[in-house]
Amino acid sequence: EVIVVGGGPAGAATAWALASGGRDVLVLDRATFPRTKACAEYISPEACRVFSTMGVMDAIIGAGAVRLTGMRVRSPDGTELVGEFGAARGLVGTHVDGIALRRERLDPLLLDAARAVGAAVRESTHVVDLLRGASQRVEGVVLANGTTLRARLVVGADGLRSVVARRLALGVHGRWPRRVALVSHYEGVAGMGLHGEMHVERDGYVGFACVDSGLVNVSLVVPARDAHLAASDPAAFVAQWLDRKRQLASRFRGARRCSPVRATGPFAWSTRRAWAPGAALVGDAADFFDPFTGEGIYAAVRGAE
């Protein structure tokens, strides 16, 4: 009945919701899981609520997710704003705080939850086009090997460069926010606690959050006009950017980068609407959140709801 293109949080949560309601659902993703993803890997309290509904919070915690009790935001002049989540205000429950977990651990758990309620999942399956009927209504998908698969509904959950959105001509590349992100993991970053951190500077901003295995996710976001400076050696670009910030350089003096620097963006993507006859969009395919909000994963799974 339904083909979901994309097996990330938006696609897996959509498949879970539809299969839980008795629908016949097939998820297609060009990747083989587990796979890495350029992402801040922050999961807000509201995203935790959705994962609780899906019954995967125990598995996520068991995979090593790190609890985050709030967020700390530092402005260019050094002023800090600290916001505490629910536990610090005396709330009790499974989704009163945030968490962080690498996507290579999170995404397979969400796909397993979809499988557990009856959704089928095909990895290493590349969708390249949509199948149209006489009235141009979407009736299925076309795979890279030429195979066609029919469905009553196709859901595009295939991210920032969604094939589904592009084939439907729904996407718009705007002028804001023209930014790119450079994401990696470090160990040995000094001064990390139970808060996520955002450090805003005149030439970009960087977010830190402890994730599983004792690592720190470091996500640097800079204007797209600076992307060419990072193109030849993104790791050196990130290291030099951090070293130029006095309050950050000292914290990274004894740190070691543990994963390649991965880039994503530019982020100036939105859609005129999130549907067409026979198709719908969720997650980044429907609209891309400025990563400063930290709500990309929540927007994905809330869209699925």
Side-chain angles (χ1 to χ4, degrees):
E1 290 182 282
V2 182
I3 289 175
V4 179
V5 182
T14 298
W16 178 88
L18 291 169
S20 295
R23 299 300 182 183
D24 177 24
V25 183
L26 172 63
V27 180
L28 307 174
D29 197 293
R30 65 186 299 178
T32 300
F33 291 81
R35 56 98 164 92
T36 56
K37 190 78 172 175
C39 175
E41 298 172 324
Y42 162 69
I43 302 168
S44 70
E46 277 297 293
C48 291
R49 176 190 61 76
V50 181
F51 291 153
S52 295
T53 301
M54 293 174 64
V56 293
M57 277 300 293
D58 287 346
I60 289 173
I61 298 301
V66 174
R67 175 171 165 252
L68 298 175
T69 61
M71 293 296 296
R72 183 181 301 273
V73 182
R74 184 186 188 277
S75 74
D77 69 1
T79 303
E80 286 196 352
L81 169 69
V82 179
E84 303 289 352
F85 293 146
R89 304 196 308 274
L91 301 182
V92 178
T94 57
H95 50 267
V96 296
D97 281 334
I99 57 175
L101 182 68
R102 280 179 294 165
R103 289 285 299 275
E104 61 198 80
R105 295 190 176 186
L106 174 67
D107 291 7
L109 297 177
L110 303 183
L111 282 174
D112 284 346
R115 289 186 181 101
V117 293
V121 179
R122 290 192 202 173
E123 301 175 28
S124 304
T125 304
H126 186 191
V127 173
V128 295
D129 207 347
L130 299 175
L131 192 63
R132 310 288 186 101
S135 63
Q136 291 301 299
R137 179 184 179 87
V138 176
E139 295 183 349
V141 298
V142 181
L143 306 184
N145 63 7
T147 301
T148 59
L149 300 172
R150 292 184 175 273
R152 290 175 55 193
L153 175 69
V154 173
V155 178
D158 47 342
L160 182 59
R161 290 170 182 80
S162 167
V163 170
V164 177
R166 284 189 281 119
R167 293 294 182 266
L168 293 170
L170 293 176
V172 177
H173 284 284
R175 289 187 288 179
W176 186 92
R178 296 291 295 178
R179 298 174 185 156
V180 295
L182 302 163
V183 183
S184 59
H185 298 92
Y186 284 72
E187 64 178 11
V189 179
M192 294 301 299
L194 293 178
H195 288 85
E197 301 180 26
M198 297 295 292
H199 296 262
V200 184
E201 299 291 342
R202 302 296 181 189
D203 56 347
Y205 59 85
V206 65
F208 306 149
C210 292
V211 294
D212 53 279
S213 302
L215 301 178
V216 175
N217 179 296
V218 176
S219 297
L220 172 63
V221 179
V222 296
R225 65 177 179 271
D226 293 338
H228 70 283
L229 301 175
S232 61
D233 192 344
F237 178 87
V238 172
Q240 292 163 9
W241 194 96
L242 293 169
D243 194 54
R244 290 197 301 269
K245 316 305 175 189
R246 181 180 303 176
Q247 81 281 6
L248 300 179
S250 60
R251 295 179 63 181
F252 281 82
R253 197 153 290 138
R256 183 177 72 90
R257 184 173 53 81
C258 302
S259 67
V261 175
R262 295 181 172 86
T264 184
F267 301 137
W269 165 265
S270 61
T271 54
R272 292 181 285 108
R273 64 175 187 272
W275 62 274
L281 304 173
V282 294
D284 289 345
D287 201 1
F288 196 85
F289 271 45
D290 186 332
F292 188 86
T293 67
E295 291 287 21
I297 290 178
Y298 169 61
V301 297
R302 175 58 178 162
E305 273 196 321

